[in-house]
Amino acid sequence: MRYNVLGNSGLFVSEMCLGTMVFGPSSGRYAGAGDVGQDDVDRIVRRAFDAGSNFVDTANVYAGGQSEESLGRSLKNLGIARDKVVIATKVEHATGSGPNDGGASRYHIVDQLKKSLRRLGTDHIDLYQLHGWDPATPVEETVRALDDLVRQGHVRYVGVSNWAAWQVTKALGVAARLNAVPFQSVQAYYSLVGRELERELVPMLQTERLGLLVYSPLAGGYLSGKYRGAMKSGRRSIISFPPVDEVKGAPVLEAMDGIAARHGTSLVAVALAWLLQQRVVTSVILGVKRLDQLEEQLKALEVRLSEDDLETLDAASALSLEYPAWMVQTADAARTTLLKTGELPDQR
């Protein structure tokens, strides 16, 4: 297990993060994804930490808050010291039917932080993330509320999830103007069949030096290969999330087949190894319901893809260029070559 710095902070997190959406009873908007009992939670958490992970991600809405409870109980059951674990959770999604039961207002953020702290059994959150963009709340209000929580010691670092690049940069500008704590990370979907964030989010992350936390690295199990053809049983048969274009996905799986065979490993390990070798990725969030699934995913740590492997996967999964990307590529080609090689290309 390797460790990476989170954004512009001095905090090191493991390159594999344990996701907890499946912890607790299966209910609400995440029905079908969970239902892992406490004994199994304890076994999964223990194995992840034995493998070197120090990072765990949850949210106030997973299993109606019971995911946080289960995680907090597990850390206590296993005797894992609070200063040995980096706990990330989220706020913003609706927790009820009232007008103030969701969003990124000061009202909702402060209320939900207190509840998350109680459920997790801790006095602080290491990484507090906005689970989505709130169009109803001024960014200034959200940034000030998060800054207050950090200054009060209830939160160490802040981040976002499922935000567009322009939303992140706007908030960073507001934070700089207000002398408030800036975001350190973006949690987003990224996989070999879901590379859309490379269009705008990745350049923004690199320019602003923010960390990328990847969720659904296997595209909801699609990249395991078990949903090919008529094989439709499993989670994606209940929740088709994230969406996958199976016509474009088929050649990606075919490319992965050959690489997995050469390395003597599984498609799962190849999919995760590809992400771990993307420079923009800080940590990959693993979602597992069983210990054997965790063992299979941990095998990605032993796989080092060659340049040929990476080129093969890139060719099979590459995005088609959309405007303005194709114009930028054409207009900036000479400057890009000069930057990389130090030599001017022949432009005749």
Side-chain angles (χ1 to χ4, degrees):
M1 188 74 69
R2 293 173 289 272
Y3 303 87
N4 297 315
V5 173
L6 183 72
N8 287 297
S9 76
L11 179 70
F12 282 87
V13 296
S14 53
E15 62 182 338
M16 282 187 166
C17 171
L18 181 61
T20 68
M21 186 176 72
V22 297
F23 291 3
S26 178
S27 62
R29 67 188 298 174
Y30 299 100
D35 212 18
V36 178
Q38 192 63 50
D39 289 344
D40 286 328
V41 168
D42 289 353
R43 281 189 281 268
I44 290 169
V45 172
R46 177 74 278 165
R47 180 66 184 101
F49 276 80
D50 285 347
S53 178
N54 71 341
F55 195 19
V56 61
D57 177 77
T58 186
N60 63 334
V61 291
Y62 294 164
Q66 292 184 72
S67 171
E68 288 181 328
E69 288 184 7
S70 183
L71 172 60
R73 191 177 301 119
S74 185
L75 295 173
K76 182 177 180 181
N77 291 346
L78 298 171
I80 297 176
R82 182 63 185 87
D83 62 351
K84 301 303 180 184
V85 55
V86 177
I87 297 177
T89 191
K90 310 181 199 72
V91 64
E92 195 276 331
H93 284 359
T95 56
S97 58
N100 293 311
D101 290 335
S105 66
R106 176 181 291 272
Y107 181 98
H108 186 64
I109 289 174
V110 174
D111 174 68
Q112 288 301 306
L113 175 74
K114 293 178 180 179
K115 293 176 179 177
S116 287
L117 290 173
R118 184 171 64 250
R119 287 191 291 258
L120 287 162
T122 185
D123 64 351
H124 71 278
I125 302 298
D126 297 298
L127 177 62
Y128 203 36
Q129 304 159 101
L130 296 171
H131 212 160
W133 170 263
D134 178 9
T137 302
V139 176
E140 288 81 0
E141 177 179 342
T142 301
V143 168
R144 284 189 183 278
L146 293 173
D147 185 64
D148 287 344
L149 295 179
V150 172
R151 295 181 188 278
Q152 292 163 7
H154 302 309
V155 171
R156 297 291 190 262
Y157 302 94
V158 293
V160 299
S161 179
N162 300 314
W163 278 31
W166 72 265
Q167 294 166 339
V168 177
T169 53
K170 177 176 181 178
L172 290 175
V174 168
R177 175 166 56 83
L178 299 177
N179 195 30
V181 293
F183 297 136
Q184 298 294 347
S185 60
V186 174
Q187 186 175 143
Y189 167 55
Y190 191 25
S191 79
L192 273 167
V193 287
R195 296 175 58 180
E196 292 84 359
L197 87 169
E198 293 178 2
R199 291 193 170 105
E200 293 195 359
L201 272 169
V202 166
M204 181 277 297
L205 292 169
Q206 293 171 325
T207 298
E208 302 295 340
R209 294 181 59 200
L210 299 185
L212 173 61
L213 312 180
V214 176
Y215 72 74
S216 293
L218 300 177
Y222 178 83
L223 289 171
S224 70
K226 66 181 181 181
Y227 294 99
R228 278 192 273 207
M231 297 183 287
K232 299 297 182 183
S233 62
R235 195 185 103 185
R236 290 192 64 84
S237 64
I238 302 171
I239 306 174
S240 185
F241 178 87
V244 173
D245 183 336
E246 296 191 23
V247 174
K248 293 182 178 179
V252 176
L253 291 176
E254 291 177 9
M256 293 172 65
D257 283 334
I259 292 171
R262 284 197 297 276
H263 287 270
T265 191
S266 66
L267 296 186
V268 167
V270 170
L272 296 176
W274 179 81
L275 282 168
L276 293 174
Q277 287 180 234
Q278 302 305 303
R279 294 181 63 182
V280 71
V281 173
T282 301
S283 189
V284 177
I285 301 172
L286 309 181
V288 298
K289 299 181 71 170
R290 304 188 313 271
L291 195 58
D292 64 292
Q293 292 176 328
L294 178 58
E295 295 290 356
E296 182 181 23
Q297 295 186 28
L298 288 173
K299 290 178 181 177
L301 296 171
E302 304 167 8
V303 178
R304 190 66 183 175
L305 301 176
S306 67
E307 288 300 320
D308 285 344
D309 293 334
L310 294 173
E311 289 176 7
T312 298
L313 292 172
D314 184 67
S317 63
L319 295 171
S320 57
L321 292 181
E322 297 179 346
Y323 181 82
W326 53 260
M327 187 63 184
V328 170
Q329 184 183 69
T330 301
D332 294 349
R335 298 288 288 177
T336 300
T337 300
L338 178 60
L339 180 64
K340 289 182 178 180
T341 68
E343 298 178 356
L344 281 170
D346 186 350
Q347 301 182 61
R348 291 176 294 179

